[in-house]
Amino acid sequence: MKVNLLKLMLLLPVIFLMNSCSSDSSEETADSTSALIVENYTYSDTELETMKLINEYRVSVGLNPLEKINHISYKSEEHDYYMIDKKTPSHDGFVDRSNNIMKLLGATTVGENVAYNYNTAEGALAAWLKSAAHKKNIEGNYTHFGISIRQDAATGKKYYTNIFVRID
């Protein structure tokens, strides 16, 4: 009886894994759609100013300026809307954003800064530079970046997502 119970206990995970690994066509369609590189992104004056200030800071400490990539800004924008929906700043979904950027753009390293409720590019950058982890991203060994700044229509508060990447 113990042998039969043991066999059953070993068989159940195998059956579960076989069923959980199957896919249907709608999942495959969703994956192929999200695998497109977004080439167009319209930058606001504040987004451009924030990128300019980050690059000026990097150059002032002897680092290379970063090149913007529209797809990274688009992924940043998606995250801003997520944070607005949740009404809180977060790094939720960072692994998915990072994997997308690595897969589609060939990035080898990805970092992310978020901010909340800063009215100006200068204010957000100053806050990031006062935080060791955020400053480390700004000063990181990166080559490209993207940014999105979106305002919550209900509260008027701004959400910032700034993603840094290294592409060799």
Side-chain angles (χ1 to χ4, degrees):
M1 174 138 174
K2 287 184 181 180
V3 174
N4 288 338
L5 184 59
L6 181 59
K7 288 180 183 177
L8 180 62
M9 290 179 67
L10 291 173
L11 185 59
L12 285 175
V14 172
I15 293 169
F16 174 76
L17 286 173
M18 288 173 58
N19 285 333
S20 66
C21 291
S22 64
S23 65
D24 64 30
S25 61
S26 65
E27 288 177 2
E28 291 170 11
T29 302
D31 288 344
S32 63
T33 302
S34 65
L36 300 175
I37 295 175
V38 175
E39 295 181 6
N40 297 316
Y41 184 87
T42 303
Y43 292 90
S44 71
D45 290 342
T46 306
E47 289 166 337
L48 292 171
E49 178 68 12
T50 305
M51 295 173 103
K52 178 178 148 268
L53 292 173
I54 289 169
N55 273 336
E56 286 175 355
Y57 173 80
R58 285 179 58 88
V59 169
S60 78
V61 296
L63 300 169
N64 61 297
L66 303 174
E67 294 178 45
K68 72 178 187 244
I69 294 181
N70 293 341
H71 182 76
I72 300 169
S73 295
Y74 175 77
K75 297 309 286 182
S76 298
E77 180 184 52
E78 285 182 332
H79 187 57
D80 280 350
Y81 286 128
Y82 170 85
M83 293 188 297
I84 289 170
D85 185 52
K86 297 295 181 187
K87 303 285 188 216
T88 188
S90 75
H91 292 283
D92 293 354
F94 173 70
V95 171
D96 291 336
R97 283 187 295 288
S98 178
N99 287 340
N100 174 274
I101 291 166
M102 289 174 139
K103 178 181 176 183
L104 295 181
L105 301 178
T108 57
T109 309
V110 179
E112 176 178 86
N113 286 351
V114 299
Y116 166 73
N117 204 25
Y118 290 95
N119 290 322
T120 64
E122 295 84 2
L125 180 59
W128 282 332
L129 292 175
K130 289 178 186 171
S131 161
H134 293 101
K135 184 176 181 179
K136 183 178 177 182
N137 279 339
I138 291 171
E139 294 179 351
N141 187 18
Y142 297 113
T143 56
H144 296 80
F145 65 161
I147 193 165
S148 173
I149 304 167
R150 293 293 172 264
Q151 190 168 17
D152 183 339
T155 65
K157 296 180 180 183
K158 291 182 181 177
Y159 290 79
Y160 295 66
T161 301
N162 186 197
I163 299 176
F164 303 88
V165 305
R166 175 161 193 82
I167 300 173
D168 295 320

